[in-house]
Every structure is written in structure tokens, then in C-alpha cells.
Amino acid sequence: YTGNGSTTGPVIDLGFEPQWLMIKSASSTYNWIILDTMRGFSAAPSANTLFANTSAVEDPAGTRAQPTSTGFEIITSSFDYNKSGDDFIYMAIRAPMMIAPTAGTQVFYPSLVTATQANQTKTGVGFSADVIINLVRSNANYGQQITSRLTGVNKQMFTSSDSAESTTNGTALTSLNQDGYSLGSDSAGTGWNAYSGYTSCKLNFHRAASFFDTVCYSGSGSNTTQAHSLGVAPEMIWVKCRSSASRDWQIYHSGLGATKFLRLNTTEAEATSASRWNNTAPTSTVFSLGSIDTVNGSGDTYISHLFASLDGVSKIGNFTGTGSDLNVDC
């Protein structure tokens, strides 16, 4: 690509979401930049940068490029990423989430944790989690926190709240590892590892074809479609505005259809709206968004979690209550 010297730099279409990226100016003597999702390459952006050509430690300045569902975009005028008129080369490697699992244990694991307010690392998850939902069992003062590899482990939202994304002080959930995760002292008392003796259940999800995907995007304020990598039509979608408060979680469900929605953070019944999903059911490649600011406000940033039914692994469905004992077949 050719640099434009702007913080709204080139947008590169790869046809897939990258998990590893190397960038080098071919025109100038700048470093070989290495970014990867294990070290925070995300839509936060908050990654550390390594340089292939030096022995220097990580540069903690933060990501100056961020992944999208179909490639990456440059978000800095920094010369080593985006010097105006320079030609840049890159190499990108796709996220390994396109293989459909054969068992739920390959992509989902509930982990019970007793808080210690001291560093602890949990293993035995069996995979590298892409999303964790933190449910504190023994203290009602904490909400249900949710964080994603795509937004960075120091970012969180609450499934019980309409608040915007918040930043922890870096001592709560400290890393997502190949087989589990690490917790810090949680000195801010966020509920990830505080207070000593309190218990929590951490729900670990791995992105995989036909099961679960996560997509970050920016709102346009106009009817649009958003690409995803689920490989099948999602049957349930959670959407949350990251950048603005007082925006409820918006829920699409195939059992309700594209003219209805629910709110994850309230007990309200279904409501009818043409402005959420643009009256259009999702497909195996995109989901549709209307113009309302809860899903697609101009200039706002969003995260969406997509779920589907996969034989022997997961099931999205609905049933009609009878008032009597009822067996639901999954």
C-alpha cells in the first residue's frame, strides 16, 4: 500500500481477518513491525510492537494498525506505518478459526476461580479463549463482565449494563494464553480477582466456524451490512456500542426474526423495529444493520458476538411455554 500521512490511513482488504501482521516501508529506513493477537493486536487498539530487525524489547506505544473482519486498517500518521508517499509491504496470516469443532469442549469451557488478589494463571481450558464472560457468584456488587481478544484484555463491558466500554487498570485480566488466562492483583477491585475468597465462573469461548464469531466495526448511521467469518448464517447476535453510554445490548434471534429484537441487559419482552436489522435476516457472510445508534451510529464503535447451531456442539432455538414440565430437545 501507499502511505497517505493521515490518521485515517489506508484500509487493506485481505478477504479475511488477520491474527499476525508484519509491515515495512520499502521506501525508507524504518523498522520491520510485527503485530499479533496474542500480544494485543486488536481493535482497542492496545498492542505492543516488536521489531524483526532489532533486539529491542516491545514498544508499548500501542497499535497503529488494527484488524477488521476483512483485513486491516492503518490508524496513524507515524512514518514507519504511513509516511505520505512511501510504498509499504506487508505479510498477514489469517486467524485460525475457520475449522468447525466436533465437541463443545474444544470451544467452550467454564472455569471456576477463587479470588486471591494475587497473580494467578489458570490452565486446563484446552484452547486459547477469544472471549471471556466473568460471572461473580458471591458478591452482588459486580456486574457480568465481558472482554474480547479483539478489544484487548484491559477493556471490558457488562452484559447487565448499557454503559460504554471501560478500561481496567491493567491488574485484572492480564493476558489470554494458549491454554487459559492470567489474572493480576485486581487492585481496582473490578471482580476479576477481587476480593480474596470470592468465587467467580469465567466462561471461555473460542471463535470457530459454525459455532461462534466476534466482529468489531464502526457505525455509519446508514443501512449497511457487516461481514463475518462464521461460515453459516448466525442464529443469535449480540451487539453493543463500545464508545457511547446509554446504549442497550441489542439481540437478534432467529426465533424472533429480523423485525424483532431483545435487550440483553433488561428483562423487557421482545420489541418490533425495522431500524435494528434492516428487516433482513443474516446470511453466511454478512449481517444487516439499520441506522439506529444502538447498532450503527455514525462515528461510534461496536462489538458483535455471533452464535450458530452446530450438531453435537451448540444449539440456538426457541420453544413455547406450556405451564407444565417440558423437555427441550437440543
Side-chain angles (χ1 to χ4, degrees), residues 43 150-151 157 165 214-221 226 238-244 247-250 287 289-305:
L150 272 180
T151 56
M157 288 188 291
E165 185 177 72
T214 296
V215 176
C216 292
Y217 63 92
S218 297
S220 66
Q226 179 61 50
W238 304 2
V239 174
K240 180 69 178 74
C241 181
R242 300 167 56 202
S243 53
S244 297
R247 307 275 178 86
D248 291 320
W249 288 81
Q250 307 292 296
F287 59 96
L289 298 167
S291 57
I292 195 167
D293 60 13
T294 51
V295 298
N296 189 25
S298 178
D300 277 320
T301 57
Y302 296 83
I303 190 167
S304 58
H305 302 293

Side-chain angles (χ1 to χ4, degrees), residues 1 3 22-26 28-33 49-51 59 61-62 64 74 76-84 86-89:
Y1 64 87
M22 175 182 275
I23 295 174
K24 175 69 174 79
S25 170
S28 301
T29 56
Y30 298 119
N31 289 322
W32 289 80
I33 295 160
T49 303
L50 282 171
F51 305 107
D59 176 5
R64 298 184 178 105
I74 305 300
T76 181
S77 59
S78 177
F79 283 0
D80 48 355
Y81 286 79
N82 193 22
K83 183 179 180 181
S84 181
D86 267 17
D87 291 324
F88 291 81
I89 64 169

